[in-house]
Amino acid sequence: MPKTSPPPPPVLPAATAGEVLALIRSGQAATRGELGRATGLSRTAVNARLTALADAGLVLEGEEESATGGRPATTLVLNAAAGLVLGVAVGRSRSQLSVSSLDGTELASVSLEQETGQGPDVLMPLVVSHLDRMLAELGRSGDDVRGVGMSLAGTVDPARAMSVDSPALTGWDGVPLAPYLREITTAPLTLDNDMRVMALSQMPSARADAEPTVREHDEALVLKASTGIGLAIVADGRLVRGHRDAAGQLGHVKVPAAAGLRCRCGEHGCLETVASGWALVEQLRADGEDVHHVRDLVAAAGRGNGRARAVVRASGRHIGEALAATVTVLNPRTVVVGGDMAGAFDTFSAGLREGVFSATTALAGRDLLVVPAVYGDRAGLVGCVRLALDSVLSPRAVDAALAR
């Protein structure tokens, strides 16, 4: 039979300048040679992309000593000072704000305690005022801001940057949020819900100040147990958003223990009515305890208050029972616990393990890890910064900026 030639190799699209920056930012490539090997680009093509990035102020070059005593290699790093990003984590009774450089280093931050039930017309001007003040104190302006990352509780519409359904934030649904921020910056706003944003802070990034709890290509559940209850689902290292961006509303799963109890969402029988911070505070107040917020409850549990410890553990058990089906189906490596309840991690996680392991399969629970979120009660804020950085430094965004 006549010999046939093998088919030609597929022609791969050449890596763009944005993709070159992504390799530098992630630490996968730090020299021209490494970039060439990682992308298949010629030296001339690599240099052309680096020139464009350097002209835009996004890449800095330096030299490091050669281990062999030969010519030192030129090292390439993201220019962290080339701009700023703002983080805005809006909660029911507390909002956290920060200003960070392009490598995620926090330069300034503030935590705002607020009255519950404040609408965007009240809260957002305060947010803008504090962000403006922090920028001024750093000697910077809104012109230096490249992006804003923001989180809200409940279901959000990222494309329109607004809340869609948030039982925790009255008056926010359907209100565009970008116009409020235009008082200080025209930079793009990236919005997501608080569970997924917290999960972002647990995943690998360019920051090296904490070991991620969720690894590359991991399966994990990131639980936010606070005033409300939410879940971020990570499959193969990617966040699962759901058909309408509404994945993870664990607090509104119907459970037998909550039968007949009315939830703040208007339904009956939701998990939140027996396991959320607002429900537990109501329980303790009915018993005569002086608590006004889930953080008061967690502090009381930390002081050894027996009643507080009991309800925190019971909350963990109820959540664990509701979570068991997801653990069985997804078979995650890790359950990460964040939110205010993580302040009583030992007590809460004991109940959580009890609930999960009593209702899942032996195989799904065999190697399951239950760990506290890195960054503690600042995980959501760190996630907002990561959200902004991943948006404005994505290959597509960088290429679009260079084309202008």
Side-chain angles (χ1 to χ4, degrees):
M1 294 181 63
K3 293 184 178 180
T4 58
S5 300
V11 178
L12 299 177
T16 66
E19 289 165 335
V20 166
L21 181 64
L23 290 170
I24 296 171
R25 181 180 168 225
S26 67
Q28 296 178 67
T31 66
R32 284 174 168 78
E34 290 173 351
L35 285 170
R37 290 188 290 274
T39 62
L41 294 172
S42 68
R43 185 173 183 84
T44 300
V46 168
N47 287 338
R49 285 153 177 76
L50 289 175
T51 297
L53 292 169
D55 288 346
L58 290 171
V59 167
L60 295 176
E61 297 182 292
E63 289 188 349
E64 64 179 13
E65 293 183 4
S66 169
T68 62
R71 183 177 178 180
T74 300
T75 59
L76 304 159
V77 295
L78 170 72
N79 181 9
L84 304 170
V85 292
L86 308 179
V88 181
V90 174
R92 181 170 177 263
S93 61
R94 178 178 61 179
S95 295
Q96 296 171 306
L97 319 174
S98 71
V99 180
S100 297
S101 59
L102 293 188
D103 64 355
T105 299
E106 186 178 280
L107 304 176
S109 67
V110 67
S111 181
L112 305 178
E113 300 295 329
Q114 67 212 38
E115 294 291 333
T116 58
Q118 285 187 344
D121 283 344
V122 174
L123 184 58
M124 287 304 295
L126 290 175
V127 167
V128 168
S129 174
H130 281 278
L131 291 173
D132 189 41
R133 176 186 57 78
M134 287 191 289
L135 286 170
E137 289 174 352
L138 291 169
R140 311 292 287 271
S141 73
D143 292 338
D144 297 313
V145 177
R146 289 180 176 262
V148 183
M150 184 173 178
S151 68
L152 297 176
T155 304
V156 302
D157 182 340
R160 294 187 293 169
M162 65 174 62
S163 173
V164 174
D165 181 21
S166 178
L169 297 172
T170 305
W172 289 70
D173 294 351
V175 178
L177 299 173
Y180 292 102
L181 294 163
R182 290 193 189 115
E183 291 187 26
I184 54 170
T185 180
T186 58
L189 167 64
T190 307
L191 178 72
D192 211 335
N193 75 19
D194 55 347
M195 297 110 60
R196 286 192 291 266
V197 165
M198 188 174 73
L200 277 178
S201 73
Q202 307 302 300
M203 300 169 76
S205 72
R207 286 186 61 159
D209 57 343
E211 184 71 23
T213 59
V214 180
R215 303 183 303 202
E216 285 190 70
H217 306 296
D218 220 349
E219 271 69 41
L221 301 175
V222 182
L223 172 70
K224 182 175 182 182
S226 194
T227 301
I229 302 167
L231 186 71
I233 303 166
V234 180
D236 194 27
R238 296 173 179 268
L239 283 167
V240 175
R241 306 191 65 88
H243 171 54
R244 293 185 178 274
D245 287 298
Q249 299 298 315
L250 181 67
H252 302 288
V253 169
K254 303 299 186 288
V255 296
L261 298 178
R262 185 176 179 83
C263 182
R264 59 181 178 171
C265 72
E267 297 286 333
H268 290 79
C270 296
L271 174 65
E272 277 203 5
T273 63
V274 292
S276 68
W278 67 263
L280 301 186
V281 167
E282 286 185 3
Q283 287 182 35
L284 263 67
R285 286 175 64 83
D287 292 343
E289 296 283 351
D290 184 23
V291 293
H292 303 277
H293 189 274
V294 62
R295 291 190 289 274
D296 300 331
L297 167 65
V298 168
R303 293 192 299 268
N305 182 304
R307 177 61 176 148
R309 289 173 61 87
V311 298
V312 167
R313 180 163 183 148
S315 168
R317 186 176 66 254
H318 287 307
I319 293 173
E321 290 169 352
L323 205 58
T326 306
V327 169
T328 303
V329 171
L330 183 64
N331 186 210
R333 182 183 70 91
T334 309
V335 174
V336 182
V337 179
D340 288 321
M341 289 291 206
F345 178 77
D346 290 345
T347 302
F348 179 82
S349 63
L352 184 74
R353 291 186 178 94
E354 180 183 341
V356 168
F357 295 142
S358 68
T360 193
T361 64
L363 183 61
R366 181 177 300 167
D367 302 315
L368 185 67
L369 301 174
V370 179
V371 301
V374 293
Y375 303 113
D377 65 356
R378 296 175 56 79
L381 184 58
V382 172
C384 286
V385 171
R386 170 79 181 271
L387 184 69
L389 290 173
D390 285 353
S391 176
V392 300
L393 294 181
S394 71
R396 177 179 295 181
V398 170
D399 290 333
L402 294 179
R404 290 199 290 267

